[in-house]
Amino acid sequence: MAYWQDRGKAPTACVDTFGCQQNVADGQRIMGMLQAMGFTFTDEPARADLVLLNTCAVREHAEKRVYGNLGALTHTKKANGAQVICLCGCMAQQPSVAKKVRESYRHVDLVFGPHALWRFPELLYQVYTRRGRVFSIDDEPGTIAEGLPVVREAGVKAWVSIMYGCNNFCSYCIVPYVRGRERSREAECIVEEVRGLVAEGYKDITLLGQNVNSYGRDLGTGMDFADLLSRIDGEVEGDYLIRFMSSHPKDATPKLFDTMARCPHVARQLHLPFQSGNNRVLEAMNRRYTREKYLELVNYAKDVMPGLVLTSDVIIGFPGETEAEAMDTVSLVKEVGFDALFTFIYSPRPGTAAAAMPDPATRAEKQVWFDRLLDAQNEISARQHAAYVGSTVRVLVDGESGDERWPLSSRTNGGRLVHLLGSRDLIGSFAQARITDSNTWALFGEAVE
């Protein structure tokens, strides 16, 4: 990189990550590789020698934002002709996106998908030495490269990828097409990474995978996800919590819930996406479980883990869904009593099976159904939060809230947000909190001895 030697200063990079926690984890590894190459970091694209957009392909809105940001970067490129612009992540893996970028965003220098993440330094070297555009979006099995450097955010939270890819092919989802088939990391590598994080002071660690419940099937060792949780809990000492996402109901088992119940380091939080409460819609989604099976699972989990905080993902307005079928989803929400939901109106993803399905319901109709879903969940969340008022719970104080009335932000074992009154010296530690108030989205309290 003679160019940087000539300038006599370290190059700067601006990394902007969109989408899920898996993307966040990928972005931290990209930053680790950049740092190892001598880059420092800035949040301002105009000041960066390299701008990288790490993208998501799950929602149409996210793609539109990326294209908008790419368009804006034409101005930074004009101001700094040597600036390198990179597009990576799930969105970049799609051939249609690569074609559009190649033809319409000619200021973009490097495009690569999740499969090629570990080759990023090599690809960037090609850009600098060839001074030409580089595209790496081949549909390959994918490689797990251990030992990549990581730049993590300071604080108490960390993310650990335990597997990559997905084998499920839900009809609405683009992920299997852009992240490939499931590949599990060796358990020893995962345990060592968690041990290192705990030693560094991280106390809230989330294990990541598109479907963590199928962890280990490709390794042939006989170890499943429940076994991995048990091993981490037993082998990594310290005061910390393990969370995980996402968890597919078709692969969730009583063994998993029993393991969660007996492992003190595993948080009493379960994110188990059900997507729809109607069996016909579930079949059209290719989810491979029924409403009845889902209820059986969550009831068992609640029985073995009293006080379990249960969250889920829900799609309203799937192609062909009727009002009555959407209301089956609302009735399931009321029956289960979720603590919180991540809710979406269906967004078609080109290349998926659902994108070709007839979809007669209007956006306005879907919005009405969606509003009913939100009303039902908000009522449940407000009621469940109100039940905490007057109790004292253990929380992990993870930062400042930005609200002078409740200066601290914290989370319960189950992941509930608690805005807290207390000393800033508590940040980074576990504390006892007396809950004094609540609303639909959070609890409020004060730290106690």
Side-chain angles (χ1 to χ4, degrees):
M1 300 220 178
Y3 171 77
W4 306 116
Q5 295 172 357
D6 293 343
R7 292 182 61 183
K9 75 176 189 70
T12 57
C14 176
V15 177
D16 193 1
T17 292
F18 300 76
C20 68
Q21 290 172 318
Q22 184 70 68
N23 267 24
V24 172
D26 288 348
Q28 291 176 344
R29 279 167 173 75
I30 289 169
M31 292 180 69
M33 288 184 274
L34 284 168
Q35 187 177 73
M37 287 185 278
F39 282 81
T40 59
F41 300 102
T42 177
D43 292 329
E44 301 179 33
R47 298 180 58 188
D49 299 297
L50 179 147
V51 179
L52 184 143
L53 303 185
N54 181 23
T55 64
C56 171
V58 173
R59 305 291 297 169
E60 183 180 15
H61 176 68
E63 289 197 3
K64 289 181 177 178
R65 283 180 58 204
V66 169
Y67 283 127
N69 288 2
L70 282 180
L73 290 174
T74 58
H75 304 292
T76 64
K77 186 88 165 187
K78 286 179 181 178
N80 177 9
Q83 185 180 69
V84 170
I85 298 175
C86 309
L87 182 75
C88 68
C90 293
M91 181 176 163
Q93 186 68 37
Q94 300 174 91
S96 60
V97 171
K99 182 175 184 294
K100 183 172 182 177
V101 171
R102 192 186 297 272
E103 296 174 352
S104 302
Y105 296 86
R106 301 190 64 83
H107 58 295
V108 177
D109 302 283
L110 172 59
V111 177
F112 64 98
H115 300 319
L117 184 144
W118 65 281
R119 295 179 54 220
F120 173 52
E122 170 198 346
L123 299 173
L124 185 59
Y125 180 77
Q126 292 176 17
V127 171
Y128 280 118
T129 55
R130 294 180 187 175
R131 298 310 304 174
R133 307 175 79 193
V134 175
F135 286 71
S136 181
I137 60 163
D138 293 339
D139 187 11
E140 52 186 322
T143 300
I144 293 180
E146 296 290 357
L148 294 179
V150 183
V151 172
R152 301 184 190 274
E153 293 182 7
V156 297
K157 296 182 179 181
W159 291 266
V160 175
S161 298
I162 66 169
M163 60 190 300
Y164 303 93
C166 182
N167 292 350
N168 290 310
F169 289 91
C170 299
S171 62
Y172 53 82
C173 185
I174 195 68
V175 168
Y177 302 96
V178 294
R179 284 197 174 267
R181 304 294 75 75
E182 292 176 352
R183 289 106 56 208
S184 302
R185 294 177 64 195
E186 296 289 344
E188 290 75 11
C189 297
I190 298 169
V191 173
E192 283 307 307
E193 184 171 352
V194 173
R195 182 179 286 113
L197 290 170
V198 173
E200 291 175 33
Y202 291 96
K203 293 181 170 64
D204 193 317
I205 300 169
T206 302
L207 307 181
L208 299 176
Q210 300 303 324
N211 176 18
V212 293
N213 290 341
S214 59
Y215 169 81
R217 290 180 181 174
D218 57 313
L219 296 178
T221 62
M223 172 174 282
D224 63 14
F225 181 57
D227 296 329
L228 178 65
L229 287 178
S230 183
R231 182 167 174 180
I232 294 171
D233 178 76
E235 295 184 17
V236 180
E237 297 180 356
D239 196 4
Y240 64 93
L241 290 171
I242 289 290
R243 308 183 193 276
F244 57 86
M245 63 187 316
S246 280
S247 195
H248 199 300
K250 78 175 179 64
D251 298 311
T253 63
K255 177 185 176 181
L256 170 62
F257 303 143
D258 290 341
T259 300
M260 293 175 64
R262 67 175 174 79
C263 291
H265 289 117
V266 178
R268 299 301 185 264
Q269 177 184 11
L270 177 62
H271 184 71
L272 193 64
F274 74 91
Q275 304 299 3
S276 172
N278 178 269
N279 285 340
R280 188 204 67 80
V281 176
L282 285 172
E283 184 176 3
M285 288 178 167
N286 193 35
R287 292 292 286 175
R288 287 175 280 177
Y289 56 84
T290 63
R291 175 190 179 107
E292 292 74 22
K293 177 63 176 177
Y294 186 86
L295 289 171
E296 178 184 329
L297 287 169
V298 296
N299 288 335
Y300 185 89
K302 287 181 175 183
D303 285 343
V304 298
M305 290 179 282
L308 175 71
V309 172
L310 185 64
T311 59
S312 190
D313 295 341
V314 185
I315 295 173
I316 284 288
F318 185 79
E321 185 174 58
T322 66
E323 179 178 0
E325 290 169 336
M327 292 308 100
D328 283 344
T329 294
V330 176
S331 73
L332 179 63
V333 167
K334 293 179 179 179
E335 183 172 352
V336 172
F338 293 94
D339 294 271
L341 293 178
F342 297 89
T343 54
F344 309 92
I345 296 178
Y346 170 75
S347 174
R349 298 286 77 206
T352 62
M357 294 179 182
D359 192 9
T362 66
R363 174 72 185 203
E365 289 173 315
K366 294 179 181 183
Q367 186 65 55
V368 171
W369 308 343
F370 186 75
D371 290 343
R372 291 178 190 170
L373 173 68
L374 290 186
D375 289 344
Q377 182 56 51
N378 287 343
E379 180 181 344
I380 295 168
S381 296
R383 183 173 65 249
Q384 292 184 346
H385 282 169
Y388 276 76
V389 175
S391 66
T392 298
V393 296
R394 190 174 193 245
V395 297
L396 176 59
V397 184
D398 54 23
E400 298 187 25
S401 69
D403 186 336
E404 293 182 357
R405 298 169 300 171
W406 313 92
L408 302 179
S409 171
S410 65
R411 295 276 176 177
T412 67
N413 183 297
R416 291 180 185 269
L417 174 63
V418 182
H419 296 295
L420 198 62
L421 182 64
S423 169
R424 285 175 171 80
D425 293 339
L426 292 172
I427 294 175
S429 63
F430 288 97
Q432 295 294 319
R434 182 168 58 247
I435 306 304
T436 58
D437 201 358
S438 70
N439 63 21
T440 302
W441 300 278
L443 303 174
F444 301 83
E446 55 186 6
V448 296
E449 292 295 331

